């Protein structure tokens, strides 16, 4: 018999997915999307010009004074001129402001006629012009391309390359030179645990490289810059950053996930369990979510989603290559009722396949436990004589209060059965809890299974006096049963017992 000081949460388990090709096991949830909208709403009200800009990209509804506030935030901004102009111009365009920012237009036009010192400066100036409707002729585009090539000779950092790709995508054939540097950028990606790819510099640089390189390859009608396996690893990295807190972070994260989802030839998808993966015995319905990286149904919808479910205990297939059925309420969820396969309680491996995508998941099929018999009694500690035992029917309480002193012991025996098979069942957690009815203090012991799988508890009152602080009184006796693979874990008040420790009189 073991004494423990806490109760493990009943029925807790980990249902997980295993890494496989072309599919990830996470997507941006509705709750995360709601949180992002709150971040953008706060960004619109911010005095940070960058936050206003990235929020304006993602929020359709704007306050009536948005444009007036924009002018004020711009005037007070501490960013350098080309950044201020870019954030203002983008917000002005996104808000649909009617004022004519003539001074800023003139500043942007002048900036385009001079060589810039960094690829980032070229990026901001060119995109400011685009937002403001400033014409950029072919001669200017050709000069910008030469400016970028000169910059790269001095600075070919990832930040510089990323902004170069983004600018080159706006220059048409003038930007073709940049595509030759795309591979050079991607070979610098760092692999994490064999499951993720990211660039030094974190989310900002990784999103910049991915978004701009794909944009450039699309404009030039070139092959995608990464393969399907790399796309999965980049997607996994971006999804790992879903807790991002700033308007810029959220905006570039969503842009990157949309960029990857749009690449039909290599796009990763999400295949994961819908729900907690614990199937109830009366309705063992397997539910699998198949969606894009933002949780949306795939378009076109998968023609077939099939699964093979295998017992981890016996390694026998419960069902093999059966087709899941689309849900009527969620086009991204596919279901299969395992009832006809009569699954036994246990853990199962679920192999899901749709087209070129595969994923391995884990589920638990739960069972139900029932109490076949329960006996509790009191007897002498040092005697081999029979103990008078009382039978108690679940979930009743013994109507007689027991009494035990320091020369006696309490004995409890419970036989637990699997409801479906009628056979004795082993559970992960079988505890006996004694609570002092006056002080509410509790002490918990482990009930241990014997060779017949019956759970037994025996406590020598005198030997355990110190554990109870020598506090005599009436204690309630509860049986606590729990297991990750049962659906009806329970806590049962079995009886009351009056305990008398050394030198004290048991109370009735």
């Amino acid at each position: 018999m073991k004494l423990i000081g806490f109760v493990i949460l009943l029925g807790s388990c980990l249902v997980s997915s295993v890494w496989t090709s072309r599919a990830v096991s996470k997507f941006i949830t509705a709750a995360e999307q709601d949180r992002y909208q709150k971040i953008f709403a706060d960004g619109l009200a911010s005095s940070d010009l960058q936050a206003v800009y990235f929020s304006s990209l993602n929020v359709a509804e704007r306050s009536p004074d948005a444009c007036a506030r924009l002018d004020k935030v711009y005037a007070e901004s501490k960013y350098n001129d080309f950044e201020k102009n870019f954030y203002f111009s983008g917000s002005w365009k996104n808000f649909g402001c009617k004022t004519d920012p003539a001074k800023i237009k003139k500043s942007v036009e002048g900036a385009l006629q001079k060589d810039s010192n960094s690829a980032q400066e070229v990026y901001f100036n060119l995109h400011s012009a685009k937002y403001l409707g400033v014409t950029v002729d072919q001669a200017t585009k050709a000069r910008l391309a030469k400016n970028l090539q000169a910059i790269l000779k001095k600075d070919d950092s990832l930040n510089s390359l990323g902004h170069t790709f983004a600018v080159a995508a706006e220059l048409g054939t003038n930007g073709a030179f940049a595509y030759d540097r795309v591979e050079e950028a991607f070979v610098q990606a760092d692999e994490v645990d064999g499951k993720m790819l990211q660039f030094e510099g974190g989310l900002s640089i990784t999103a910049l490289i991915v978004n701009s390189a794909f944009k450039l390859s699309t404009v030039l009608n070139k092959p995608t810059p990464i393969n399907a396996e790399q796309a999965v690893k980049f997607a996994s990295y971006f999804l790992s950053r879903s807790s991002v807190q700033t308007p810029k972070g959220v905006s570039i994260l969503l842009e990157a996930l949309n960029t990857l989802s749009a690449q039909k030839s290599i796009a990763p998808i999400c295949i994961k369990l819908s729900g907690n993966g614990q199937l109830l015995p009366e309705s063992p319905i397997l539910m699998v979510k198949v969606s894009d990286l933002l949780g949306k149904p795939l378009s076109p919808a998968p023609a077939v989603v099939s699964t093979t479910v295998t017992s981890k205990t016996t390694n026998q297939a419960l069902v093999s290559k059966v087709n899941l059925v689309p849900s009527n309420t969620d086009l991204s969820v596919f279901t299969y009722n395992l009832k006809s396969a009569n699954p036994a309680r246990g853990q199962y491996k679920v192999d899901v396949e749709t087209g070129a995508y595969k994923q391995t998941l884990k589920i638990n099929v739960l069972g139900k436990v029932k109490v076949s018999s329960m006996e509790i009694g009191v007897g002498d500690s040092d005697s081999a004589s029979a103990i008078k035992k009382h039978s108690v029917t679940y979930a009743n309480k013994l109507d007689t209060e027991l009494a035990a002193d320091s020369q006696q012991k309490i004995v409890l025996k419970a036989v637990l059965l699997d409801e479906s098979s009628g056979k004795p069942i082993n559970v992960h957690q079988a505890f006996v809890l004694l609570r002092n009815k006056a002080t509410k203090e509790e002490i918990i012991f482990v009930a241990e299974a014997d060779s017949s799988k019956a759970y037994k508890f025996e406590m020598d009152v005198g030997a355990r006096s110190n554990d109870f602080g020598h506090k005599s009184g009436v204690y309630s006796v509860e049986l606590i049963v729990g297991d990750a693979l049962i659906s009806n874990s329970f806590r049962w008040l079995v009886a009351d017992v009056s305990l008398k420790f050394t030198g004290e009189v048991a109370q009735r």
Side-chain angles (χ1 to χ4, degrees), residues 105-416:
K105 279 185 179 179
K106 184 176 181 181
S107 174
V108 169
E109 288 172 341
L112 287 175
Q113 301 308 311
K114 301 183 297 183
D115 282 347
S116 299
N117 295 319
S118 69
Q120 188 176 21
E121 184 177 350
V122 178
Y123 171 89
F124 282 128
N125 289 334
L126 181 60
H127 283 79
S128 295
K130 186 177 179 180
Y131 279 131
L132 295 170
V134 173
T135 300
V136 181
D137 57 26
Q138 288 300 316
T140 301
K141 290 181 178 180
R143 192 169 47 74
L144 291 177
K146 289 182 179 179
N147 188 191
L148 284 173
Q149 291 177 74
I151 290 170
L152 288 180
K153 290 179 180 179
K154 299 177 181 178
D155 177 13
D156 60 355
S157 63
L158 289 170
N159 184 53
S160 186
L161 287 170
H163 284 99
T164 295
F165 300 155
V167 172
E170 302 293 331
L171 301 182
T173 55
N174 289 299
F177 74 92
Y179 186 80
D180 295 334
R181 307 296 296 270
V182 168
E183 183 178 353
E184 173 189 334
F186 277 100
V187 297
Q188 298 182 57
D190 298 321
E191 191 168 58
V192 181
D193 297 331
K195 295 183 177 182
M196 294 189 292
L197 281 172
Q198 68 177 87
F199 292 103
E200 184 178 353
L203 177 60
S204 293
I205 294 298
T206 306
L208 173 64
I209 296 290
V210 169
N211 289 327
S212 60
F214 271 100
K215 204 171 292 182
L216 178 60
S217 62
T218 299
V219 167
L220 298 177
N221 197 27
K222 297 285 188 178
T224 57
I226 58 176
N227 60 33
E229 180 183 357
Q230 292 169 320
V232 170
K233 292 179 179 180
F234 274 114
S236 297
Y237 168 72
F238 288 127
L239 291 167
S240 76
R241 297 300 310 275
S242 61
S243 61
V244 65
Q245 300 289 328
T246 65
K248 178 184 177 181
V250 174
S251 185
I252 63 176
L253 170 67
L254 294 177
E255 182 185 2
L257 292 174
N258 277 307
T259 294
L260 292 174
S261 293
Q263 312 305 315
K264 298 303 182 184
S265 62
I266 62 168
I269 66 170
C270 174
I271 301 177
K272 71 184 300 286
L273 294 172
S274 179
N276 62 11
Q278 299 196 76
L279 279 55
L280 299 176
E282 61 270 22
S283 182
I285 298 176
L286 172 65
M287 301 175 66
V288 177
K289 186 174 182 70
V290 181
S291 72
D292 69 11
L293 301 177
L294 290 108
K296 300 174 184 175
L298 300 182
S299 181
V304 176
V305 179
S306 65
T307 187
T308 295
V309 180
T310 306
S311 169
K312 296 187 72 176
T313 302
T314 66
N315 207 32
Q316 297 289 315
L318 182 67
V319 294
S320 180
K321 295 190 180 299
V322 296
N323 292 339
L324 282 75
V325 179
S327 167
N328 292 326
T329 57
D330 187 339
L331 295 178
S332 68
V333 174
F334 296 79
T335 68
Y336 187 83
N337 194 334
L338 293 167
K339 187 73 172 178
S340 61
N342 194 28
R345 183 177 71 100
Q347 296 180 325
Y348 292 81
K349 178 167 70 82
V350 180
D351 293 307
V352 180
E353 185 171 349
T354 177
Y357 301 96
K358 297 179 181 179
Q359 186 71 286
T360 297
L361 310 169
K362 297 177 184 177
I363 61 169
N364 290 335
V365 174
L366 306 184
K368 286 189 173 182
V369 63
K370 69 176 183 179
V371 181
S372 174
S373 65
M374 162 65 77
E375 295 177 333
I376 186 170
V378 175
D380 293 338
S381 300
D382 57 356
S383 173
S385 60
I387 296 173
K388 184 180 178 181
K389 297 177 181 177
H390 303 267
S391 293
V392 189
T393 303
Y394 182 80
N396 296 323
K397 176 187 175 186
L398 183 65
D399 54 12
T400 301
E401 182 181 288
L402 302 175
D405 61 29
S406 58
Q407 302 300 315
Q408 295 177 301
K409 62 184 176 182
I410 300 172
V411 177
L412 178 149
K413 178 181 178 181
V415 177
L416 307 177

Side-chain angles (χ1 to χ4, degrees), residues 4-12 428-429 431 444 480 482-483:
I4 62 173
F6 59 91
V7 178
I8 302 171
L9 291 178
L10 301 180
S12 65
H428 290 156
Q429 301 166 338
F431 304 135
I444 301 170
I480 301 172
D483 192 287

Side-chain angles (χ1 to χ4, degrees), residues 16-54:
S16 64
S17 61
V18 179
W19 180 267
T20 54
S21 62
R22 296 214 59 187
V24 296
S25 57
K26 186 184 182 332
F27 63 93
I28 300 299
T29 65
E32 287 171 325
Q33 294 277 14
D34 290 343
R35 184 174 64 82
Y36 294 163
Q37 288 305 306
K38 175 67 166 57
I39 289 173
F40 291 138
D42 291 344
L44 289 179
S46 170
S47 58
D48 180 359
L49 190 57
Q50 182 192 78
V52 173
Y53 166 71
F54 282 106

Side-chain angles (χ1 to χ4, degrees), residues 40 44 49-63 66-67 70 85-99 101 123 127-128 130-133 247 251 255:
F40 291 138
L44 289 179
L49 190 57
Q50 182 192 78
V52 173
Y53 166 71
F54 282 106
S55 298
S56 74
L57 287 171
N58 295 278
V59 178
E61 295 182 9
R62 286 103 186 187
S63 63
C67 294
L70 177 61
N85 290 343
F86 170 75
Y87 294 137
F88 173 89
S89 302
S91 302
W92 177 84
K93 175 72 172 179
N94 296 329
F95 287 155
C97 298
K98 303 302 181 183
T99 55
Y123 171 89
H127 283 79
S128 295
K130 186 177 179 180
Y131 279 131
L132 295 170
S251 185
E255 182 185 2

